[in-house]
Amino acid sequence: MDVFRSDGHLTDEALAALVREDELEELTRLEIAEHLAFCDWCLERYTERLTDVELLTPARSCQESLWSRIRARTLRLITSRYATAAAAVVLALTMLWGGTLFPNRAMAPEDRGQVLESVQEAVTSWAQWPQNLTDAFSHLADFFDNRGADAPATQRGGFS
């Protein structure tokens, strides 16, 4: 059996043997698999022949487990980034007003109230960022979850 045509593509006979799962030499199967990995035209011809064959469907979908892992990792990344930034701000402010950076600078008692008020406003606004980002990613994840709700179920490995 000839596996390749003169132009370098797979023959119809080789594709039919793959679909029928005929016994082929190991080297021949490897050559066909390698060619299908790089030749879109032959891969398309092969998949067209597979449309008549009953394909296996997964026992359960992995969509939910993947989405939950993506959400958990995103939340962990966002939280760690903003926690680091908040710790750096707190450390800088502690050094600034604790006298470490500017030990000779005296602050008037009436200025301390304004400074503490502005620091409190800054820390409050920084504390809201992780929750706002979490809400945004949650809405984005909900959008993608609901997007495929009306799509018909397939038997080619799609989600059902």
Side-chain angles (χ1 to χ4, degrees):
M1 169 177 70
D2 289 332
V3 178
F4 293 101
R5 300 186 324 196
S6 60
D7 62 354
H9 292 289
L10 293 173
T11 62
D12 291 334
E13 186 178 319
L15 293 174
L18 275 181
V19 171
R20 289 189 312 261
E21 296 182 5
D22 290 347
E23 288 290 325
L24 297 172
E25 292 181 21
E26 188 66 27
L27 182 61
T28 304
R29 287 182 89 67
L30 288 173
E31 287 176 342
I32 292 173
E34 183 178 1
H35 182 78
L36 287 175
F38 293 104
C39 181
D40 291 337
W41 187 66
C42 288
L43 183 62
E44 183 178 332
R45 289 175 43 221
Y46 176 61
T47 53
E48 285 174 359
R49 290 178 178 266
L50 286 177
T51 56
D52 297 334
V53 177
E54 181 69 26
L55 298 177
L56 297 175
T57 57
R60 63 180 183 86
S61 175
C62 62
Q63 182 181 14
E64 286 303 317
S65 63
L66 286 176
W67 273 116
S68 63
R69 286 174 48 195
I70 289 170
R71 284 187 200 114
R73 182 174 175 140
T74 303
L75 182 62
R76 193 171 44 242
L77 285 172
I78 289 172
T79 305
S80 68
R81 286 181 184 167
Y82 285 102
T84 304
V89 167
V90 168
L91 180 63
L93 292 176
T94 302
M95 291 176 64
L96 179 65
W97 284 292
T100 307
L101 287 178
F102 304 109
N104 297 332
R105 181 175 174 208
M107 185 181 298
E110 59 272 1
D111 292 339
R112 286 186 182 175
Q114 286 180 330
V115 170
L116 288 176
E117 193 174 301
S118 63
V119 168
Q120 185 177 9
E121 289 175 12
V123 169
T124 304
S125 66
W126 271 98
Q128 293 172 353
W129 269 99
Q131 184 59 43
N132 292 342
L133 281 174
T134 303
D135 292 343
F137 279 109
S138 175
H139 293 304
L140 184 66
D142 290 342
F143 170 76
F144 283 115
D145 283 345
N146 295 331
R147 182 159 183 186
D150 297 333
T154 65
Q155 293 206 357
R156 295 189 187 101
F159 302 113
S160 53

